Amino acid sequence: MKQLARWRQFGGWWTRYAHDARSTKCEMTFSVFVPDGATAAPTLYYLSGLTCTDENFVHKAGAARQASSRGVALVVPDTSPRGNGLAGEDDAYDFGTGAGFYVDALQEPWASAGYKMESYVATELRDLVDGLEGVDADNAGLTGHSMGGHGALTLAFKYPDRYASVSALAPICNPTRCPWGVKAFEGYLGSVDAGEDHDACKLVAKHETGRFDSILVDQGAEDQFLVGDIDQLRPESFRAACDKAGQNLNLRYHPGFDHSYFFISTFIDDHVDFAADRLLNNNNKKHAAS
Ligand SMILES: N[C@@H](CCC(=O)N[C@@H](CS)C(=O)NCC(=O)O)C(=O)O
C-alpha cells in the first residue's frame, strides 16, 4: 500500500492511499480520515455515487469537522475498478467505470475484469483498514449517497456482523425497479431477478437479514432523480418494505434540496452523529465486557 497524499483538516488527518487490489484486479485508491489522538476510532465507511472517485466526498462534503469532534474515522473507497481496459467500460456514466454498484459481477466480461465491489468493500478494504493506525476495523458503520446509499443499505443487510450502523443520503432504494439498477443488474449479474439479492427493499424482507435499531435516510425533496418522470430512488418503496418487515426507518425529506453535494454537505453531520451514537456505544460495550 502506498501513500499518495496527506492533508490536515479540522482536528485530524486525511490520508489517500493506493494499493494493488485482489478483488478488482487493478490499483485502487481510497481515503481515510483519522481524528487526532485516536487509538481505536470506530470506522464509518462512506460509499459514493455514480461517476465519483473517493475524492468527491473528501473535497466537497466537509465531513471531517464532525468526524473529528465525535472521534470517528472515515473510510472512503472508489466506486469501481479502473483502467482494466475492458471494451465499453467508459462508454456510459451509469455502467462500468465509476458505476460498480457494490455487487460482485457474475456476467462476463465484467466478472473476470474485477467488477467485484461487494467483496472489495466488505472484505478486502476492511482487512486493509484493520492494519491502519488509530482505527478499529471491527467497529464499523456504513453510509453513502445514491448508488453508494444502495451499497450502504445492501451491504449492511448482507453483512450485519460487520456493520453496527447504517444510514444513507438519497439512496437507490429499489434498484430492481429503476433504470439505473436494471441496467446494472442485467449487465453485471445477467438478469434483474439476480439483482433481488442486492435490492434493499427485498433484503429487508428476508428474515435472515440483520435488523438495526433504526436506519436514517435523508432525501432532497427536489432531487432531480426523484421528482422526474422516472424515479431512480424510490424511497417510498423502502418505507413500505421496512414497515412490513418491522425495521425502524427515519426517512426525512428536505424541501429545496437536490441530489448534489450541496445536499450531502448540509446533512452529513447528522450521519456522522448517527453512526457515532451507535458505534461509540458499541465500542464502550465491547470494552466494558473485556
Ligand atoms: N452525470 C449524471 C449524474 C451523476 C451524478 O449525479 N452523480 C452523483 C452521484 S449519483 C455525484 O455525486 N456526482 C459527483 C459530484 O457531484 O461530485 C447525469 O448528468 O445525469
Side-chain angles (χ1 to χ4, degrees):
M1 193 154 81
K2 62 180 185 240
Q3 194 176 300
L4 298 177
R6 199 160 147 79
W7 302 280
R8 180 139 185 87
Q9 192 181 29
F10 303 111
W13 289 90
W14 284 105
T15 311
R16 187 163 194 239
Y17 298 98
H19 69 109
D20 288 323
R22 247 185 355 265
S23 20
T24 55
K25 297 187 173 170
C26 64
E27 184 175 84
M28 295 290 283
T29 56
F30 67 99
S31 295
V32 177
F33 178 78
V34 181
D36 291 342
T39 51
T43 313
L44 177 60
Y45 289 80
Y46 175 91
L47 306 184
S48 303
L50 292 167
T51 74
C52 291
T53 66
D54 55 305
E55 294 192 290
N56 301 65
F57 179 77
V58 173
H59 294 175
K60 292 169 146 184
R65 183 195 297 267
Q66 197 65 2
S68 58
S69 104
R70 295 299 305 266
V72 170
L74 302 170
V75 178
V76 190
D78 202 345
T79 53
S80 74
R82 284 177 198 270
N84 284 347
L86 213 56
E89 75 180 339
D90 296 327
D91 289 358
Y93 81 92
D94 56 359
F95 190 81
T97 304
F101 251 84
Y102 305 99
V103 299
D104 286 355
L106 303 171
Q107 187 85 338
E108 296 301 350
W110 312 98
S112 299
Y115 279 77
K116 303 256 158 135
M117 287 302 289
E118 175 176 342
S119 294
Y120 176 71
V121 171
T123 304
E124 186 168 358
L125 184 58
R126 188 235 153 257
D127 290 348
L128 279 180
V129 168
D130 201 24
L132 297 177
E133 240 172 75
V135 305
D136 181 358
D138 287 331
N139 189 16
L142 286 162
T143 190
H145 172 232
S146 196
M147 174 183 74
H150 142 78
L153 295 171
T154 54
L155 296 185
F157 288 136
K158 294 184 85 167
Y159 303 93
D161 51 326
R162 295 184 207 181
Y163 306 108
S165 162
V166 61
S167 70
L169 295 127
I172 301 172
C173 291
N174 194 187
T176 57
R177 301 280 308 280
C178 77
W180 280 339
V182 166
K183 181 172 181 179
F185 294 157
E186 283 178 344
Y188 295 133
L189 306 177
S191 73
V192 177
D193 283 353
E196 295 208 351
D197 213 29
H198 302 273
D199 181 315
C201 290
K202 307 281 182 187
L203 287 171
V204 74
K206 282 194 170 180
H207 98 147
E208 70 270 26
T209 286
R211 288 277 177 273
F212 295 86
D213 70 313
S214 183
I215 297 174
L216 173 65
V217 172
D218 279 316
Q219 176 61 61
E222 269 64 61
D223 188 318
Q224 57 273 39
F225 297 111
L226 175 72
V227 296
D229 291 343
I230 299 162
D231 181 357
Q232 298 275 21
L233 307 172
R234 302 179 67 91
E236 290 305 321
S237 303
F238 190 54
R239 188 204 296 281
C242 285
D243 282 352
K244 200 162 169 208
Q247 168 62 60
N248 186 28
L249 171 71
N250 183 9
L251 170 58
R252 311 189 301 188
Y253 286 93
H254 302 286
F257 287 90
D258 65 10
H259 196 66
S260 71
Y261 270 87
F262 293 107
F263 160 66
I264 297 169
S265 59
T266 303
F267 296 103
I268 193 64
D269 286 2
D270 290 354
H271 293 258
V272 172
D273 280 337
F274 183 84
D277 289 348
R278 282 152 186 82
L279 302 179
L280 292 167
N281 200 18
N282 198 26
N283 205 17
N284 292 340
K285 262 194 238 143
K286 223 166 51 181
H287 288 270
S290 60

